[in-house]
């Protein structure tokens, strides 16, 4: 018999890690899809980062994530998705090891102008056996490479979903997360 005075069960938490190089759009993606105002740990770039952080291709960027971004999406009374965005600069990569704990899967955000900044994120997920998708963020609607060129440049396994769009668009963010869910559901169940 169900106890009518018992507290309702807490929803299942699903953790997704959003990773990628510096300035590729991780903070933007988390903010675009989150139902709550995201927690952001951004600080202004200062002259102290000159020679430490590679600002090539992101010259107009004024802030950077120094710890994490956090957002939430309620799917139902039973399921809540928590999004954790990683810092992109190499000096903060040590935090990824803590952020990944309990993650069901990941999203790698990439910029075709600087695909090499995505290698570390892809290697991180692959080395830990964490399923992921790759979302190419087309800044200003510009993409100069075909999906085949991108897949070859990133040396992606054929089963890794690759999406191309603008992370500022909520529909693309939703499409990316749904692609990750589809990818997770297509994988063999661990024994």
């Amino acid at each position: 018999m169900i106890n009518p005075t018992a507290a309702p069960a807490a929803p299942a938490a699903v953790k997704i890690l959003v990773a990628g190089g510096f300035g590729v759009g991780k903070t933007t993606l988390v903010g675009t899809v989150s139902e709550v105002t995201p927690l952001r740990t951004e600080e202004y770039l200062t002259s102290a980062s000159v020679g430490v952080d590679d600002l090539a291709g992101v010259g107009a960027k004024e802030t950077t994530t120094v710890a994490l971004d956090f957002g939430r999406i309620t799917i139902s009374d039973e399921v809540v998705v928590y999004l954790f965005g990683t810092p992109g600069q190499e000096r903060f990569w040590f935090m990824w090891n803590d952020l990944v704990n309990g993650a069901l899967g990941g999203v790698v955000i990439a910029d075709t102008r600087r695909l090499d900044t995505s290698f570390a994120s892809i290697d991180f997920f692959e080395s830990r056996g964490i399923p992921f998708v790759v979302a190419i963020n087309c800044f200003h609607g510009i993409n100069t490479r075909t999906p085949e060129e991108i897949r070859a440049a990133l040396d992606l396994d054929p089963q890794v979903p690759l999406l191309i769009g603008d992370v500022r668009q909520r529909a693309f963010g939703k499409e990316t997360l749904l692609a990750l869910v589809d990818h997770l559901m297509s994988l063999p169940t661990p024994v």
Side-chain angles (χ1 to χ4, degrees), residues 12-20 26 29-30 33 68-75 79-86 96 98-109 124-125 130-135 173-184:
V14 175
K15 182 177 183 180
I16 296 174
L17 200 63
V18 179
K26 299 175 300 294
L29 176 71
V30 171
V33 298
L68 63 100
D69 298 308
F70 174 80
R72 182 185 77 205
I73 304 168
T74 301
I75 304 299
V79 180
V80 176
V81 175
Y82 295 109
L83 301 169
F84 288 81
T86 65
W96 294 13
D98 290 329
L99 290 174
V100 76
N101 287 332
L104 190 60
V107 174
V108 174
I109 308 289
F124 179 80
F125 287 129
I130 296 173
F132 65 96
V133 300
V134 175
K174 181 179 173 182
E175 177 185 355
T176 300
L177 295 174
L178 288 172
L180 176 60
V181 170
D182 287 344
H183 181 52
L184 290 168

Side-chain angles (χ1 to χ4, degrees), residues 21-155:
F22 176 58
V24 296
K26 299 175 300 294
T27 298
T28 301
L29 176 71
V30 171
T32 298
V33 298
S34 180
E35 69 188 18
V36 298
T37 302
L39 168 68
R40 294 184 172 142
T41 60
E42 291 199 308
E43 293 295 332
Y44 284 101
L45 291 169
T46 66
S47 58
S49 70
V50 174
V52 176
D53 298 321
D54 182 7
L55 303 178
V58 290
K61 189 162 175 57
E62 296 179 352
T63 61
T64 185
T65 300
V66 296
L68 63 100
D69 298 308
F70 174 80
R72 182 185 77 205
I73 304 168
T74 301
I75 304 299
S76 68
D77 290 343
E78 291 83 30
V79 180
V80 176
V81 175
Y82 295 109
L83 301 169
F84 288 81
T86 65
Q89 293 141 292
E90 186 173 351
R91 62 188 164 128
F92 298 124
W93 287 354
F94 69 92
M95 298 179 72
W96 294 13
N97 291 318
D98 290 329
L99 290 174
V100 76
N101 287 332
L104 190 60
V107 174
V108 174
I109 308 289
D111 176 354
T112 57
R113 301 171 301 175
R114 303 175 296 120
L115 283 175
D116 60 317
T117 64
S118 302
F119 296 156
S121 301
I122 292 169
D123 289 345
F124 179 80
F125 287 129
E126 287 178 342
S127 69
R128 286 160 180 78
I130 296 173
F132 65 96
V133 300
V134 175
I136 301 299
N137 188 10
C138 296
F139 288 82
H140 309 292
I142 299 170
N143 176 28
T144 59
R145 298 184 186 208
T146 67
E148 295 77 21
E149 290 172 329
I150 295 167
R151 190 171 286 283
L154 295 176
D155 193 27

